[in-house]
């Protein structure tokens, strides 16, 4: 499975000052440079979530 696009997007966001972590296979926590925090559940891409982790 090709995950290059997701890895590039992850790298681009972290270089821009965003903090991302993946505490569970279907979850991504995002903290913006201004301190706003949100959690995204990858229900539509569960197979991608397993490979990106």
């Amino acid at each position: 499975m090709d995950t290059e696009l997701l890895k590039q997007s992850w790298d681009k966001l972290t270089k821009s000052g965003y903090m991302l972590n993946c505490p569970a296979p279907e979850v991504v926590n995002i903290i913006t440079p201004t301190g706003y925090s949100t959690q995204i559940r990858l229900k539509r891409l569960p197979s991608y979530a397993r490979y990106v982790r």
Side-chain angles (χ1 to χ4, degrees):
M1 178 175 286
D2 182 22
T3 59
E4 194 60 36
L5 177 62
L6 290 174
K7 290 177 184 177
Q8 288 173 359
S9 298
W10 187 285
D11 290 341
K12 184 177 179 181
L13 285 170
T14 55
K15 287 178 185 175
S16 298
Y18 288 79
M19 291 189 294
L20 297 103
N21 64 44
C22 190
E26 301 87 17
V27 177
V28 175
N29 292 329
I30 302 170
I31 302 173
T32 67
T34 59
Y36 178 77
S37 176
T38 190
Q39 185 178 76
I40 297 174
R41 296 199 176 272
L42 303 174
K43 291 180 181 179
R44 296 180 185 221
L45 299 173
S47 59
Y48 265 113
R50 284 194 303 269
Y51 290 102
V52 171
R53 191 178 163 110

